[in-house]
Short mmCIF file of all heavy atoms in Angstrom, two decimals:
data_model
loop_
_atom_site.label_atom_id
_atom_site.label_comp_id
_atom_site.label_asym_id
_atom_site.label_seq_id
_atom_site.Cartn_x
_atom_site.Cartn_y
_atom_site.Cartn_z
N HIS A 1 89.20 88.64 92.38
CA HIS A 1 90.34 87.73 92.47
C HIS A 1 90.45 86.98 91.15
O HIS A 1 89.50 86.39 90.67
CB HIS A 1 90.11 86.77 93.64
CG HIS A 1 91.24 85.84 93.86
ND1 HIS A 1 91.15 84.51 93.54
CD2 HIS A 1 92.46 86.02 94.36
CE1 HIS A 1 92.29 83.93 93.86
NE2 HIS A 1 93.10 84.84 94.37
N LEU A 2 91.63 87.02 90.56
CA LEU A 2 91.84 86.42 89.26
C LEU A 2 92.63 85.12 89.39
O LEU A 2 93.16 84.81 90.45
CB LEU A 2 92.60 87.41 88.35
CG LEU A 2 91.92 88.77 88.18
CD1 LEU A 2 92.81 89.70 87.39
CD2 LEU A 2 90.58 88.62 87.51
N GLN A 3 92.74 84.39 88.31
CA GLN A 3 93.44 83.11 88.30
C GLN A 3 94.89 83.21 88.77
O GLN A 3 95.40 82.31 89.40
CB GLN A 3 93.40 82.50 86.89
CG GLN A 3 92.02 82.12 86.43
CD GLN A 3 91.52 80.84 87.08
OE1 GLN A 3 92.13 80.28 87.96
NE2 GLN A 3 90.37 80.39 86.62
N ASP A 4 95.57 84.31 88.46
CA ASP A 4 96.99 84.43 88.82
C ASP A 4 97.18 84.99 90.22
O ASP A 4 98.27 85.41 90.58
CB ASP A 4 97.73 85.29 87.80
CG ASP A 4 97.23 86.74 87.77
OD1 ASP A 4 96.29 87.06 88.51
OD2 ASP A 4 97.78 87.52 87.00
N ARG A 5 96.14 84.96 91.02
CA ARG A 5 96.16 85.40 92.42
C ARG A 5 96.35 86.92 92.54
O ARG A 5 96.83 87.41 93.55
CB ARG A 5 97.18 84.63 93.22
CG ARG A 5 96.93 83.12 93.16
CD ARG A 5 97.76 82.31 94.09
NE ARG A 5 97.63 82.65 95.49
CZ ARG A 5 96.65 82.27 96.31
NH1 ARG A 5 95.66 81.54 95.84
NH2 ARG A 5 96.65 82.61 97.58
N THR A 6 95.97 87.65 91.51
CA THR A 6 95.98 89.10 91.54
C THR A 6 94.69 89.58 92.19
O THR A 6 93.61 89.13 91.84
CB THR A 6 96.09 89.68 90.11
OG1 THR A 6 97.31 89.24 89.54
CG2 THR A 6 96.04 91.19 90.13
N ILE A 7 94.83 90.49 93.13
CA ILE A 7 93.67 91.08 93.76
C ILE A 7 93.60 92.53 93.32
O ILE A 7 94.56 93.28 93.46
CB ILE A 7 93.78 91.00 95.29
CG1 ILE A 7 93.84 89.54 95.73
CG2 ILE A 7 92.61 91.72 95.95
CD1 ILE A 7 94.15 89.37 97.20
N ILE A 8 92.48 92.92 92.77
CA ILE A 8 92.30 94.29 92.30
C ILE A 8 91.47 95.03 93.34
O ILE A 8 90.37 94.59 93.70
CB ILE A 8 91.61 94.31 90.92
CG1 ILE A 8 92.47 93.55 89.90
CG2 ILE A 8 91.33 95.73 90.48
CD1 ILE A 8 91.80 93.35 88.56
N CYS A 9 92.01 96.13 93.82
CA CYS A 9 91.34 96.93 94.84
C CYS A 9 91.26 98.38 94.38
O CYS A 9 92.08 98.82 93.60
CB CYS A 9 92.12 96.90 96.15
SG CYS A 9 92.38 95.26 96.80
N ARG A 10 90.30 99.08 94.93
CA ARG A 10 90.19 100.51 94.65
C ARG A 10 89.81 101.21 95.95
O ARG A 10 88.97 100.73 96.70
CB ARG A 10 89.13 100.79 93.60
CG ARG A 10 88.93 102.29 93.39
CD ARG A 10 87.91 102.56 92.36
NE ARG A 10 88.57 102.30 91.08
CZ ARG A 10 88.04 102.60 89.92
NH1 ARG A 10 86.85 103.13 89.85
NH2 ARG A 10 88.68 102.35 88.81
N TYR A 11 90.48 102.33 96.19
CA TYR A 11 90.15 103.16 97.34
C TYR A 11 90.20 104.59 96.86
O TYR A 11 91.17 105.01 96.25
CB TYR A 11 91.16 102.92 98.46
CG TYR A 11 90.94 103.81 99.66
CD1 TYR A 11 89.81 103.67 100.44
CD2 TYR A 11 91.85 104.81 99.98
CE1 TYR A 11 89.59 104.49 101.53
CE2 TYR A 11 91.65 105.63 101.06
CZ TYR A 11 90.51 105.47 101.84
OH TYR A 11 90.30 106.28 102.91
N ASN A 12 89.16 105.34 97.10
CA ASN A 12 89.06 106.72 96.65
C ASN A 12 89.00 107.66 97.86
O ASN A 12 87.92 107.98 98.34
CB ASN A 12 87.83 106.93 95.76
CG ASN A 12 87.93 106.15 94.48
OD1 ASN A 12 88.96 106.12 93.85
ND2 ASN A 12 86.84 105.51 94.09
N PRO A 13 90.17 108.09 98.35
CA PRO A 13 90.15 108.99 99.50
C PRO A 13 89.55 110.34 99.12
O PRO A 13 89.65 110.78 97.99
CB PRO A 13 91.63 109.13 99.87
CG PRO A 13 92.37 108.80 98.62
CD PRO A 13 91.52 107.83 97.87
N THR A 14 88.93 110.98 100.11
CA THR A 14 88.29 112.26 99.86
C THR A 14 89.12 113.43 100.37
O THR A 14 88.80 114.58 100.08
CB THR A 14 86.90 112.31 100.52
OG1 THR A 14 87.05 112.08 101.92
CG2 THR A 14 85.98 111.27 99.91
N GLU A 15 90.18 113.14 101.11
CA GLU A 15 91.03 114.18 101.68
C GLU A 15 92.50 113.84 101.44
O GLU A 15 92.87 112.67 101.48
CB GLU A 15 90.81 114.30 103.19
CG GLU A 15 89.42 114.70 103.60
CD GLU A 15 89.12 116.15 103.28
OE1 GLU A 15 90.07 116.98 103.33
OE2 GLU A 15 87.96 116.47 102.98
N PRO A 16 93.34 114.85 101.19
CA PRO A 16 94.77 114.58 101.09
C PRO A 16 95.33 114.20 102.45
O PRO A 16 94.74 114.52 103.49
CB PRO A 16 95.36 115.90 100.61
CG PRO A 16 94.35 116.93 100.97
CD PRO A 16 93.03 116.26 101.00
N GLY A 17 96.45 113.47 102.45
CA GLY A 17 97.10 113.10 103.71
C GLY A 17 97.74 111.74 103.63
O GLY A 17 97.80 111.10 102.58
N ASP A 18 98.25 111.27 104.77
CA ASP A 18 98.87 109.95 104.87
C ASP A 18 97.79 108.92 105.16
O ASP A 18 96.92 109.14 106.00
CB ASP A 18 99.90 109.94 106.00
CG ASP A 18 101.13 110.74 105.66
OD1 ASP A 18 101.57 110.66 104.50
OD2 ASP A 18 101.65 111.43 106.54
N TYR A 19 97.90 107.79 104.49
CA TYR A 19 96.95 106.70 104.67
C TYR A 19 97.70 105.39 104.86
O TYR A 19 98.74 105.17 104.24
CB TYR A 19 96.02 106.57 103.46
CG TYR A 19 95.02 107.68 103.35
CD1 TYR A 19 95.36 108.88 102.73
CD2 TYR A 19 93.74 107.54 103.87
CE1 TYR A 19 94.44 109.91 102.62
CE2 TYR A 19 92.82 108.58 103.77
CZ TYR A 19 93.17 109.75 103.15
OH TYR A 19 92.26 110.77 103.05
N LEU A 20 97.17 104.55 105.70
CA LEU A 20 97.66 103.19 105.88
C LEU A 20 96.51 102.29 105.44
O LEU A 20 95.45 102.25 106.09
CB LEU A 20 98.03 102.94 107.34
CG LEU A 20 98.79 101.67 107.62
CD1 LEU A 20 100.14 101.68 106.88
CD2 LEU A 20 99.02 101.52 109.11
N ILE A 21 96.70 101.60 104.33
CA ILE A 21 95.62 100.83 103.71
C ILE A 21 95.89 99.34 103.91
O ILE A 21 96.92 98.82 103.47
CB ILE A 21 95.49 101.17 102.21
CG1 ILE A 21 95.25 102.67 102.05
CG2 ILE A 21 94.40 100.34 101.56
CD1 ILE A 21 95.35 103.15 100.63
N SER A 22 94.96 98.67 104.56
CA SER A 22 95.06 97.23 104.79
C SER A 22 94.24 96.51 103.73
O SER A 22 93.09 96.86 103.48
CB SER A 22 94.53 96.86 106.17
OG SER A 22 95.33 97.43 107.17
N VAL A 23 94.86 95.50 103.12
CA VAL A 23 94.16 94.65 102.15
C VAL A 23 94.25 93.23 102.67
O VAL A 23 95.33 92.70 102.90
CB VAL A 23 94.81 94.75 100.75
CG1 VAL A 23 94.08 93.84 99.77
CG2 VAL A 23 94.81 96.19 100.26
N LYS A 24 93.08 92.63 102.88
CA LYS A 24 93.03 91.27 103.44
C LYS A 24 92.26 90.33 102.53
O LYS A 24 91.36 90.75 101.80
CB LYS A 24 92.38 91.29 104.82
CG LYS A 24 93.18 92.04 105.86
CD LYS A 24 92.52 91.92 107.22
CE LYS A 24 93.39 92.56 108.30
NZ LYS A 24 92.77 92.36 109.63
N TRP A 25 92.65 89.07 102.60
CA TRP A 25 91.96 88.00 101.90
C TRP A 25 91.75 86.90 102.94
O TRP A 25 92.71 86.47 103.57
CB TRP A 25 92.81 87.49 100.73
CG TRP A 25 92.15 86.41 99.95
CD1 TRP A 25 92.33 85.07 100.10
CD2 TRP A 25 91.21 86.57 98.91
NE1 TRP A 25 91.56 84.39 99.22
CE2 TRP A 25 90.84 85.29 98.47
CE3 TRP A 25 90.63 87.68 98.30
CZ2 TRP A 25 89.93 85.08 97.45
CZ3 TRP A 25 89.72 87.47 97.29
CH2 TRP A 25 89.38 86.18 96.86
N SER A 26 90.51 86.52 103.15
CA SER A 26 90.17 85.53 104.18
C SER A 26 90.72 85.96 105.54
O SER A 26 91.30 85.16 106.27
CB SER A 26 90.68 84.14 103.80
OG SER A 26 90.07 83.70 102.63
N ASP A 27 90.57 87.23 105.85
CA ASP A 27 90.97 87.83 107.12
C ASP A 27 92.48 87.80 107.36
O ASP A 27 92.95 87.96 108.47
CB ASP A 27 90.24 87.18 108.29
CG ASP A 27 90.09 88.13 109.45
OD1 ASP A 27 89.98 89.35 109.22
OD2 ASP A 27 90.12 87.67 110.61
N GLU A 28 93.27 87.61 106.32
CA GLU A 28 94.74 87.63 106.40
C GLU A 28 95.25 88.74 105.48
O GLU A 28 94.78 88.88 104.36
CB GLU A 28 95.35 86.30 105.96
CG GLU A 28 94.98 85.12 106.83
CD GLU A 28 95.69 85.15 108.17
OE1 GLU A 28 96.82 85.65 108.24
OE2 GLU A 28 95.08 84.69 109.16
N HIS A 29 96.24 89.49 105.97
CA HIS A 29 96.84 90.52 105.12
C HIS A 29 97.47 89.89 103.88
O HIS A 29 98.13 88.86 103.97
CB HIS A 29 97.94 91.27 105.87
CG HIS A 29 97.43 92.28 106.83
ND1 HIS A 29 97.01 93.54 106.44
CD2 HIS A 29 97.25 92.22 108.17
CE1 HIS A 29 96.60 94.21 107.50
NE2 HIS A 29 96.73 93.43 108.56
N VAL A 30 97.26 90.51 102.71
CA VAL A 30 97.96 90.08 101.51
C VAL A 30 99.40 90.55 101.63
O VAL A 30 99.72 91.42 102.45
CB VAL A 30 97.31 90.63 100.22
CG1 VAL A 30 95.87 90.14 100.10
CG2 VAL A 30 97.37 92.14 100.15
N TYR A 31 100.28 90.00 100.82
CA TYR A 31 101.70 90.34 100.88
C TYR A 31 101.88 91.85 100.73
O TYR A 31 101.36 92.46 99.82
CB TYR A 31 102.47 89.60 99.78
CG TYR A 31 103.94 89.93 99.77
CD1 TYR A 31 104.78 89.38 100.72
CD2 TYR A 31 104.46 90.81 98.83
CE1 TYR A 31 106.12 89.69 100.73
CE2 TYR A 31 105.80 91.12 98.84
CZ TYR A 31 106.63 90.55 99.78
OH TYR A 31 107.97 90.87 99.80
N GLY A 32 102.62 92.43 101.67
CA GLY A 32 102.91 93.86 101.63
C GLY A 32 101.93 94.73 102.40
O GLY A 32 102.19 95.90 102.63
N SER A 33 100.78 94.19 102.75
CA SER A 33 99.77 94.94 103.48
C SER A 33 100.13 94.98 104.96
O SER A 33 100.66 94.00 105.49
CB SER A 33 98.41 94.27 103.30
OG SER A 33 97.41 94.92 104.06
N PRO A 34 99.88 96.09 105.61
CA PRO A 34 99.23 97.31 105.12
C PRO A 34 100.18 98.17 104.29
O PRO A 34 101.40 98.11 104.46
CB PRO A 34 98.83 98.03 106.40
CG PRO A 34 99.78 97.55 107.44
CD PRO A 34 100.15 96.14 107.05
N PHE A 35 99.61 98.93 103.40
CA PHE A 35 100.35 99.78 102.48
C PHE A 35 100.28 101.23 102.95
O PHE A 35 99.20 101.73 103.25
CB PHE A 35 99.77 99.68 101.06
CG PHE A 35 99.77 98.28 100.53
CD1 PHE A 35 98.65 97.47 100.68
CD2 PHE A 35 100.89 97.77 99.91
CE1 PHE A 35 98.65 96.17 100.19
CE2 PHE A 35 100.89 96.47 99.43
CZ PHE A 35 99.78 95.67 99.57
N HIS A 36 101.43 101.89 103.00
CA HIS A 36 101.46 103.31 103.36
C HIS A 36 101.47 104.12 102.08
O HIS A 36 102.24 103.83 101.15
CB HIS A 36 102.71 103.64 104.19
CG HIS A 36 102.81 105.08 104.53
ND1 HIS A 36 103.61 105.95 103.84
CD2 HIS A 36 102.17 105.82 105.46
CE1 HIS A 36 103.47 107.16 104.34
NE2 HIS A 36 102.60 107.11 105.33
N THR A 37 100.61 105.13 102.02
CA THR A 37 100.57 105.99 100.85
C THR A 37 100.25 107.42 101.28
O THR A 37 99.72 107.64 102.36
CB THR A 37 99.54 105.49 99.81
OG1 THR A 37 99.67 106.25 98.61
CG2 THR A 37 98.12 105.60 100.33
N HIS A 38 100.62 108.35 100.46
CA HIS A 38 100.32 109.76 100.72
C HIS A 38 99.54 110.31 99.54
O HIS A 38 99.97 110.16 98.39
CB HIS A 38 101.59 110.57 100.93
CG HIS A 38 101.31 111.96 101.38
ND1 HIS A 38 101.14 112.27 102.72
CD2 HIS A 38 101.12 113.10 100.71
CE1 HIS A 38 100.87 113.55 102.83
NE2 HIS A 38 100.87 114.09 101.62
N ILE A 39 98.41 110.91 99.83
CA ILE A 39 97.56 111.50 98.80
C ILE A 39 97.80 113.01 98.80
O ILE A 39 97.72 113.65 99.85
CB ILE A 39 96.07 111.20 99.06
CG1 ILE A 39 95.84 109.68 99.15
CG2 ILE A 39 95.19 111.85 98.00
CD1 ILE A 39 96.23 108.91 97.91
N PHE A 40 98.10 113.55 97.64
CA PHE A 40 98.37 114.98 97.51
C PHE A 40 97.15 115.69 96.96
O PHE A 40 96.41 115.14 96.15
CB PHE A 40 99.57 115.21 96.59
CG PHE A 40 100.84 114.65 97.15
CD1 PHE A 40 101.24 113.36 96.85
CD2 PHE A 40 101.63 115.40 98.00
CE1 PHE A 40 102.40 112.83 97.39
CE2 PHE A 40 102.79 114.89 98.54
CZ PHE A 40 103.18 113.61 98.23
N GLU A 41 96.98 116.93 97.38
CA GLU A 41 95.83 117.71 96.93
C GLU A 41 96.01 118.20 95.50
O GLU A 41 95.07 118.24 94.71
CB GLU A 41 95.61 118.90 97.86
CG GLU A 41 94.34 119.65 97.57
CD GLU A 41 93.99 120.63 98.67
OE1 GLU A 41 94.75 120.74 99.65
OE2 GLU A 41 92.95 121.28 98.53
N ARG A 42 97.26 118.58 95.16
CA ARG A 42 97.52 119.14 93.83
C ARG A 42 98.72 118.44 93.19
O ARG A 42 99.59 117.92 93.88
CB ARG A 42 97.82 120.63 93.94
CG ARG A 42 96.71 121.44 94.57
CD ARG A 42 97.13 122.85 94.80
NE ARG A 42 98.44 122.85 95.49
CZ ARG A 42 99.13 123.93 95.78
NH1 ARG A 42 98.67 125.11 95.48
NH2 ARG A 42 100.28 123.85 96.40
N GLN A 43 98.76 118.48 91.88
CA GLN A 43 99.88 117.90 91.14
C GLN A 43 101.19 118.56 91.54
O GLN A 43 102.22 117.91 91.65
CB GLN A 43 99.65 118.05 89.62
CG GLN A 43 100.76 117.46 88.77
CD GLN A 43 100.86 115.95 88.91
OE1 GLN A 43 99.86 115.25 88.90
NE2 GLN A 43 102.08 115.44 89.03
N GLU A 44 101.15 119.87 91.79
CA GLU A 44 102.36 120.60 92.18
C GLU A 44 102.93 120.07 93.50
O GLU A 44 104.14 120.00 93.68
CB GLU A 44 102.07 122.10 92.31
CG GLU A 44 101.71 122.78 91.01
CD GLU A 44 100.23 122.59 90.62
OE1 GLU A 44 99.40 122.20 91.48
OE2 GLU A 44 99.93 122.83 89.45
N ASP A 45 102.05 119.69 94.42
CA ASP A 45 102.49 119.13 95.70
C ASP A 45 103.19 117.78 95.48
O ASP A 45 104.23 117.51 96.09
CB ASP A 45 101.32 118.95 96.66
CG ASP A 45 100.64 120.26 97.01
OD1 ASP A 45 101.31 121.32 96.97
OD2 ASP A 45 99.43 120.22 97.31
N LEU A 46 102.63 116.97 94.61
CA LEU A 46 103.26 115.68 94.29
C LEU A 46 104.61 115.90 93.61
O LEU A 46 105.60 115.25 93.97
CB LEU A 46 102.35 114.85 93.39
CG LEU A 46 102.95 113.57 92.82
CD1 LEU A 46 103.37 112.62 93.93
CD2 LEU A 46 101.96 112.90 91.87
N ASP A 47 104.66 116.80 92.65
CA ASP A 47 105.91 117.08 91.95
C ASP A 47 107.00 117.55 92.92
O ASP A 47 108.15 117.10 92.84
CB ASP A 47 105.71 118.13 90.87
CG ASP A 47 104.83 117.64 89.73
OD1 ASP A 47 104.66 116.41 89.58
OD2 ASP A 47 104.30 118.50 88.99
N ARG A 48 106.66 118.43 93.86
CA ARG A 48 107.63 118.92 94.84
C ARG A 48 108.11 117.77 95.74
O ARG A 48 109.30 117.63 96.00
CB ARG A 48 107.02 120.03 95.68
CG ARG A 48 108.02 120.63 96.67
CD ARG A 48 107.49 121.82 97.46
NE ARG A 48 106.20 121.57 98.09
CZ ARG A 48 105.05 122.15 97.74
NH1 ARG A 48 105.03 123.02 96.74
NH2 ARG A 48 103.94 121.87 98.36
N PHE A 49 107.19 116.92 96.16
CA PHE A 49 107.55 115.77 96.99
C PHE A 49 108.51 114.84 96.25
O PHE A 49 109.52 114.41 96.80
CB PHE A 49 106.28 115.00 97.39
CG PHE A 49 106.56 113.73 98.12
CD1 PHE A 49 106.85 113.73 99.47
CD2 PHE A 49 106.52 112.51 97.45
CE1 PHE A 49 107.11 112.55 100.15
CE2 PHE A 49 106.77 111.32 98.12
CZ PHE A 49 107.07 111.35 99.46
N LEU A 50 108.21 114.54 95.00
CA LEU A 50 109.07 113.65 94.22
C LEU A 50 110.46 114.25 94.02
O LEU A 50 111.46 113.53 94.08
CB LEU A 50 108.42 113.33 92.87
CG LEU A 50 107.15 112.48 92.96
CD1 LEU A 50 106.51 112.35 91.58
CD2 LEU A 50 107.42 111.12 93.57
N LEU A 51 110.53 115.55 93.78
CA LEU A 51 111.82 116.22 93.62
C LEU A 51 112.62 116.15 94.92
O LEU A 51 113.82 115.86 94.90
CB LEU A 51 111.62 117.67 93.19
CG LEU A 51 112.90 118.47 92.97
CD1 LEU A 51 113.76 117.85 91.87
CD2 LEU A 51 112.56 119.91 92.63
N GLU A 52 111.96 116.38 96.05
CA GLU A 52 112.64 116.30 97.34
C GLU A 52 113.16 114.89 97.60
O GLU A 52 114.27 114.72 98.10
CB GLU A 52 111.69 116.73 98.46
CG GLU A 52 111.39 118.21 98.46
CD GLU A 52 110.28 118.59 99.41
OE1 GLU A 52 109.70 117.69 100.08
OE2 GLU A 52 109.97 119.79 99.49
N GLN A 53 112.37 113.88 97.24
CA GLN A 53 112.80 112.49 97.43
C GLN A 53 114.01 112.18 96.55
O GLN A 53 114.96 111.54 96.99
CB GLN A 53 111.65 111.53 97.10
CG GLN A 53 110.51 111.60 98.06
CD GLN A 53 110.91 111.17 99.45
OE1 GLN A 53 111.46 110.10 99.64
NE2 GLN A 53 110.66 112.02 100.43
N LYS A 54 113.97 112.65 95.31
CA LYS A 54 115.09 112.43 94.39
C LYS A 54 116.35 113.10 94.92
O LYS A 54 117.43 112.49 94.94
CB LYS A 54 114.75 112.97 93.00
CG LYS A 54 115.85 112.80 91.99
CD LYS A 54 115.45 113.38 90.65
CE LYS A 54 116.58 113.29 89.66
NZ LYS A 54 116.25 113.94 88.40
N ASN A 55 116.23 114.34 95.37
CA ASN A 55 117.39 115.06 95.90
C ASN A 55 117.94 114.38 97.14
O ASN A 55 119.15 114.29 97.33
CB ASN A 55 117.03 116.51 96.21
CG ASN A 55 116.82 117.33 94.95
OD1 ASN A 55 117.29 116.96 93.87
ND2 ASN A 55 116.09 118.42 95.08
N TYR A 56 117.06 113.88 98.01
CA TYR A 56 117.50 113.17 99.21
C TYR A 56 118.29 111.92 98.83
O TYR A 56 119.36 111.67 99.38
CB TYR A 56 116.30 112.80 100.08
CG TYR A 56 116.69 111.89 101.22
CD1 TYR A 56 117.27 112.42 102.37
CD2 TYR A 56 116.52 110.51 101.14
CE1 TYR A 56 117.65 111.60 103.42
CE2 TYR A 56 116.91 109.69 102.18
CZ TYR A 56 117.47 110.23 103.31
OH TYR A 56 117.85 109.41 104.33
N ARG A 57 117.76 111.15 97.88
CA ARG A 57 118.46 109.92 97.47
C ARG A 57 119.82 110.23 96.87
O ARG A 57 120.80 109.54 97.14
CB ARG A 57 117.59 109.12 96.50
CG ARG A 57 116.47 108.37 97.18
CD ARG A 57 115.82 107.36 96.26
NE ARG A 57 115.18 107.96 95.11
CZ ARG A 57 113.94 108.43 95.11
NH1 ARG A 57 113.20 108.38 96.18
NH2 ARG A 57 113.42 108.95 94.02
N LEU A 58 119.90 111.28 96.04
CA LEU A 58 121.18 111.64 95.43
C LEU A 58 122.18 112.09 96.50
O LEU A 58 123.35 111.71 96.47
CB LEU A 58 120.97 112.75 94.40
CG LEU A 58 120.22 112.36 93.12
CD1 LEU A 58 119.95 113.60 92.28
CD2 LEU A 58 120.99 111.32 92.34
N THR A 59 121.72 112.90 97.46
CA THR A 59 122.60 113.37 98.54
C THR A 59 123.04 112.21 99.41
O THR A 59 124.21 112.09 99.76
CB THR A 59 121.86 114.43 99.39
OG1 THR A 59 121.49 115.51 98.55
CG2 THR A 59 122.74 114.93 100.53
N HIS A 60 122.10 111.33 99.74
CA HIS A 60 122.41 110.17 100.59
C HIS A 60 123.42 109.25 99.88
O HIS A 60 124.35 108.76 100.50
CB HIS A 60 121.13 109.43 100.93
CG HIS A 60 121.33 108.31 101.89
ND1 HIS A 60 121.62 108.53 103.22
CD2 HIS A 60 121.31 106.97 101.72
CE1 HIS A 60 121.74 107.36 103.83
NE2 HIS A 60 121.57 106.41 102.94
N GLN A 61 123.23 109.03 98.58
CA GLN A 61 124.14 108.16 97.83
C GLN A 61 125.54 108.78 97.77
O GLN A 61 126.54 108.09 97.92
CB GLN A 61 123.61 107.89 96.42
CG GLN A 61 124.47 106.92 95.64
CD GLN A 61 124.57 105.56 96.30
OE1 GLN A 61 123.58 104.99 96.73
NE2 GLN A 61 125.78 105.03 96.40
N ALA A 62 125.61 110.09 97.54
CA ALA A 62 126.91 110.77 97.48
C ALA A 62 127.62 110.66 98.83
O ALA A 62 128.83 110.44 98.89
CB ALA A 62 126.73 112.23 97.10
N TRP A 63 126.87 110.78 99.91
CA TRP A 63 127.45 110.66 101.25
C TRP A 63 127.98 109.25 101.47
O TRP A 63 129.07 109.06 101.98
CB TRP A 63 126.38 111.00 102.29
CG TRP A 63 126.86 110.86 103.69
CD1 TRP A 63 127.61 111.73 104.40
CD2 TRP A 63 126.62 109.76 104.57
NE1 TRP A 63 127.86 111.26 105.65
CE2 TRP A 63 127.26 110.04 105.80
CE3 TRP A 63 125.91 108.56 104.45
CZ2 TRP A 63 127.22 109.17 106.88
CZ3 TRP A 63 125.87 107.69 105.53
CH2 TRP A 63 126.53 108.01 106.71
N LYS A 64 127.22 108.24 101.04
CA LYS A 64 127.66 106.85 101.18
C LYS A 64 128.92 106.60 100.35
O LYS A 64 129.80 105.87 100.78
CB LYS A 64 126.55 105.89 100.78
CG LYS A 64 125.48 105.76 101.84
CD LYS A 64 124.31 104.89 101.43
CE LYS A 64 124.66 103.64 100.71
NZ LYS A 64 123.50 102.82 100.35
N ASP A 65 128.99 107.20 99.16
CA ASP A 65 130.15 107.00 98.29
C ASP A 65 131.42 107.59 98.91
O ASP A 65 132.52 107.11 98.66
CB ASP A 65 129.91 107.64 96.92
CG ASP A 65 128.85 106.89 96.12
OD1 ASP A 65 128.53 105.73 96.49
OD2 ASP A 65 128.36 107.46 95.14
N GLU A 66 131.26 108.63 99.72
CA GLU A 66 132.42 109.27 100.35
C GLU A 66 133.00 108.44 101.48
O GLU A 66 134.16 108.58 101.81
CB GLU A 66 132.04 110.67 100.89
CG GLU A 66 131.80 111.68 99.80
CD GLU A 66 131.39 113.03 100.38
OE1 GLU A 66 131.57 113.24 101.59
OE2 GLU A 66 130.90 113.86 99.61
N ILE A 67 132.17 107.63 102.09
CA ILE A 67 132.63 106.85 103.25
C ILE A 67 133.54 105.71 102.85
O ILE A 67 133.60 105.11 101.95
CB ILE A 67 131.42 106.32 104.04
CG1 ILE A 67 130.69 107.49 104.64
CG2 ILE A 67 131.85 105.34 105.11
CD1 ILE A 67 129.49 107.12 105.47
#
């Protein structure tokens, strides 16, 4: 814990998958906790996921613009 109220945490998962990570200070969740994250086994899996997310956002935005 630093002077500016920054909390530095590290978690090293051993398996790819979805994780829900809780970070607490004095038994209270810090702002934003629990955090949802997905760990990928390979860089290619991450790249494909990011591309799919980008395409979804572009398609969703175009659909909203049409309405």
Side-chain angles (χ1 to χ4, degrees):
H1 183 253
L2 304 174
Q3 295 284 7
D4 64 358
R5 303 189 58 80
T6 299
I7 299 172
I8 300 172
C9 302
R10 175 179 283 189
Y11 177 67
N12 295 317
T14 58
E15 297 288 328
D18 289 320
Y19 288 85
L20 192 61
I21 303 170
S22 296
V23 179
K24 294 185 175 184
W25 181 264
S26 298
D27 208 31
E28 296 287 328
H29 282 280
V30 300
Y31 179 75
S33 177
F35 302 94
H36 177 260
T37 188
H38 188 86
I39 303 301
F40 295 92
E41 187 168 1
R42 301 173 311 177
Q43 181 66 44
E44 294 82 16
D45 298 332
L46 172 60
D47 293 341
R48 183 176 50 249
F49 174 81
L50 293 174
L51 181 61
E52 289 170 359
Q53 293 296 307
K54 179 181 176 184
N55 289 340
Y56 172 80
R57 283 192 297 274
L58 290 173
T59 301
H60 185 71
Q61 184 60 47
W63 178 79
K64 283 175 43 179
D65 290 345
E66 289 179 15
I67 293 181

